[in-house]
């Protein structure tokens, strides 16, 4: 029987092993449906089985490990996170939640303990949405909200999601079988790195998440006219990139004028992309987040008006398309209270609102959710310098084990 410290060391070793499974040499990128995702599922599946679980892969490619409950148990408590990454990612985002959950189950298995409910660990195949620019495909499948429009989304190579699911070994015609019955679920708990600096600043290893900010993903395009850079007078240009640049600047000003609002332009494409040609077409991504949905929606409307004004000023046409909108969610008060108790009686507990999106936000539609944040060095995430202390992982294992036992006491 291993101690929490030994389990934490094992978690760190397994996360290092997962970080070697990548689409690119010298960095970490693992997107939906890729060979690297398949290899990651195989590795994690093996660790799940070592911890006493049975495993399966559902119709979209989510890996599921199940640890049966005591005799007569009819409900299931979900744990997990995602195994896909952003491009040039850090190794702990997503993976920490999956591997820590396995460690918790391993502890129960080695003690020969069954709870009054089954535990199922979910390793989601797509949360980041890098390949198809549509987040939470894995958890949305469990909620039964993957539609035909989603299946026809294409990646940069023109491959649609429907085809990618088939190539990944899934079955787009059977996505309804991924849907979970809410009556069978007790809740979902996700361990995740904070991806921010608050815990480190407050010298705390762990924090409890009370809410997850809502998010809107948009795609804006500016269509002007490509022309010769040397022969076209400035006053006669229809420069799509200038219009896009005006919008990017104004978007930052809008965000700074609304407390709690964050606006990010993370991707931009300019065509034809030659140094001596005025850009005739620009496409960019816009990410808008705020804990209050009304503020976020109002901001999106203001951004659209701002983009239209800038486009008209530069004599170009604006395209404005909402790719995805995710509402803000409040974590379960009951589960949050139990998790807070598990951190320790008398200890000051930090409550955080997550500015990052998580699978928990999607699963809140079908079951109560709770999240535990783990401190990360300097708040760095989505970067190769992402780092977590092994001692903090040990604390997370201890807290999650205690939390599950408290849930068990409530449902004995």
């Amino acid at each position: 029987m291993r101690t929490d410290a030994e389990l934490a060391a094992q978690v760190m070793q397994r996360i290092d092993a997962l970080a070697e499974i990548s689409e690119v040499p010298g960095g970490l990128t693992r997107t939906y449906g890729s060979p690297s995702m398949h290899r990651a599922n195989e590795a994690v599946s093996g660790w799940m089985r070592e911890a006493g679980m049975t495993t399966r892969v559902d119709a979209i490619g989510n890996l599921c490990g199940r640890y049966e409950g005591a005799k007569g148990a009819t409900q299931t408590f979900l744990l997990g996170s995602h195994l896909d990454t952003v491009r040039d990612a850090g190794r702990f985002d997503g993976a920490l939640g999956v591997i820590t959950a396995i460690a918790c189950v391993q502890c129960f298995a080695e003690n020969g303990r069954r709870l009054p409910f089954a535990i199922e660990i979910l390793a989601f195949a797509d949360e980041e949405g890098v390949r198809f620019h549509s987040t939470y495909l894995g958890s949305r499948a469990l909620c039964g909200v993957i539609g035909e429009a989603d299946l026809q989304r294409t990646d940069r190579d023109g491959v649609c999601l429907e085809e990618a699911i088939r190539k990944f070994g899934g079955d787009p015609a059977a996505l309804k079988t991924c849907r979970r019955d809410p009556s069978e679920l007790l809740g979902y708990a996700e361990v995740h790195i904070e991806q921010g600096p608050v815990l480190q600043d407050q010298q705390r290893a762990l924090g409890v998440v009370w809410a997850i900010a809502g998010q809107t993903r948009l795609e804006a395009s500016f269509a002007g006219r490509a022309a010769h850079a040397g022969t076209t007078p400035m006053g006669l240009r229809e420069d799509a990139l200038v219009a896009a640049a005006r919008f990017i600047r104004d978007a930052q000003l809008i965000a700074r004028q609304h407390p709690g609002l964050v606006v990010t332009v993370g991707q931009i494409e300019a065509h034809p992309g030659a140094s001596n040609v005025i850009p005739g077409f620009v496409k960019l991504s816009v990410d808008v987040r705020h804990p209050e949905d009304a503020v976020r929606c109002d901001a999106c409307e203001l951004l659209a008006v701002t983009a239209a004004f800038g486009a008209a000023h530069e004599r170009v046409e604006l395209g404005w398309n909402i790719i995805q909108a995710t509402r803000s969610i409040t974590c379960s008060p009951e589960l949050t209270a139990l998790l807070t108790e598990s951190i320790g009686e008398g200890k000051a507990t930090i409550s955080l609102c997550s500015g990052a999106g998580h699978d928990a936000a999607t699963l809140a539609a079908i079951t109560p959710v709770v999240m535990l944040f783990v401190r990360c060095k300097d708040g760095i995430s989505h970067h190769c310098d992402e780092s977590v202390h092994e001692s903090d992982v040990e604390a997370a294992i201890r807290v999650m084990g205690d939390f599950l036992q408290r849930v068990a006491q409530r449902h004995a």
Side-chain angles (χ1 to χ4, degrees):
M1 186 174 62
R2 272 164 276 209
T3 64
D4 290 343
E6 291 170 330
L7 289 170
Q10 183 183 71
V11 167
M12 300 296 277
Q13 292 166 2
R14 288 175 169 177
I15 286 176
D16 286 345
L18 271 180
E20 298 299 317
I21 303 175
S22 175
E23 298 168 28
V24 297
L28 177 55
T29 299
R30 202 162 50 231
T31 60
Y32 176 79
S34 63
S36 64
M37 271 301 305
H38 182 72
R39 295 198 305 274
N41 272 359
E42 286 186 329
V44 174
S45 179
W47 299 330
M48 287 175 168
R49 290 193 295 271
E50 286 179 23
M53 288 176 272
T54 58
T55 63
R56 64 183 178 86
V57 177
D58 69 15
I60 202 168
N62 296 319
L63 172 62
C64 311
R66 184 175 177 85
Y67 183 72
E68 294 295 344
K71 185 177 180 180
T74 59
Q75 291 185 292
T76 301
F77 198 93
L78 305 176
L79 305 174
S81 195
H82 59 98
L83 292 180
D84 68 314
T85 74
V86 296
R87 301 191 190 281
D88 299 318
R91 63 188 60 201
F92 292 95
D93 180 2
L96 178 65
V98 176
I99 307 305
T100 299
I102 294 174
C104 292
V105 170
Q106 185 173 341
C107 188
F108 287 128
E110 290 180 352
N111 280 281
R113 180 163 186 196
R114 300 282 176 175
L115 302 181
F117 48 81
I119 298 174
E120 192 160 319
I121 297 177
L122 303 169
F124 292 111
D126 180 277
E127 187 261 7
E128 301 288 3
V130 170
R131 183 174 177 185
F132 292 98
H133 202 60
S134 180
T135 52
Y136 316 121
L137 289 174
S139 50
R140 286 169 59 205
L142 266 68
C143 298
V145 292
I146 301 292
E148 185 61 31
D150 293 301
L151 293 176
Q152 298 311 310
R153 290 185 181 277
T154 57
D155 63 12
R156 63 176 63 182
D157 297 318
V159 178
C160 69
L161 176 59
E162 184 174 12
E163 182 181 352
I165 291 173
R166 290 196 187 95
K167 288 183 177 179
F168 195 40
D171 183 358
L175 289 181
K176 290 183 179 179
T177 64
C178 299
R179 187 180 183 278
R180 303 302 295 265
D181 182 350
S183 67
E184 296 177 355
L185 303 177
L186 289 174
Y188 170 76
E190 182 170 354
V191 176
H192 206 282
I193 62 169
E194 181 195 353
Q195 299 180 286
V198 176
L199 289 174
Q200 178 174 283
D201 183 64
Q202 297 296 315
Q203 299 182 352
R204 295 287 190 274
L206 307 173
V208 177
V209 178
W210 68 270
I212 300 173
Q215 177 187 21
T216 301
R217 283 193 173 191
L218 300 145
E219 183 179 86
S221 63
F222 298 86
R225 178 179 298 177
H228 196 290
T231 62
T232 309
M234 298 300 292
L236 298 179
R237 297 185 176 205
E238 299 173 20
D239 193 325
L241 187 54
V242 170
R246 285 178 62 109
F247 168 72
I248 294 171
R249 178 202 62 189
D250 292 342
Q252 302 310 299
L253 295 174
I254 289 170
R256 292 190 178 104
Q257 291 168 359
H258 295 78
L261 180 68
V262 289
V263 180
T264 304
V265 175
Q267 294 177 316
I268 184 166
E269 300 175 13
H271 300 277
S275 62
N276 60 347
V277 180
I278 298 166
F281 182 80
V282 171
K283 181 170 69 173
L284 52 83
S285 67
V286 188
D287 184 305
V288 186
R289 308 187 195 206
H290 194 276
E292 297 180 29
D293 290 335
V295 175
R296 172 175 52 85
C297 292
D298 288 347
C300 289
E301 292 182 6
L302 181 56
L303 288 167
V305 171
T306 301
F309 179 82
H313 188 273
E314 300 300 329
R315 300 185 299 279
V316 304
E317 293 185 7
L318 172 68
W320 190 261
N321 183 30
I322 297 178
I323 302 297
Q324 187 175 6
T326 306
R327 64 183 179 87
S328 62
I329 69 105
T330 300
C331 293
S332 161
E334 179 184 358
L335 294 180
T336 298
L338 292 178
L339 187 59
T340 301
E341 291 171 8
S342 294
I343 289 179
E345 297 292 342
K347 289 188 177 180
T349 303
I350 296 181
S351 295
L352 301 166
C353 176
S354 175
H358 300 284
D359 291 301
T362 301
L363 292 181
I366 60 171
T367 194
V369 302
V370 66
M371 287 195 71
L372 181 70
F373 270 175
V374 179
R375 169 174 52 188
C376 58
K377 187 174 185 297
D378 298 329
I380 295 172
S381 185
H382 285 187
H383 188 275
C384 62
D385 289 339
E386 197 174 81
S387 180
V388 169
H389 291 292
E390 188 172 314
S391 60
D392 292 351
V393 174
E394 179 184 349
I397 293 170
R398 177 189 61 78
V399 167
M400 288 306 298
D402 185 83
F403 166 75
L404 288 169
Q405 292 182 73
R406 289 175 186 270
V407 175
Q409 291 170 5
R410 290 287 182 94
H411 295 276

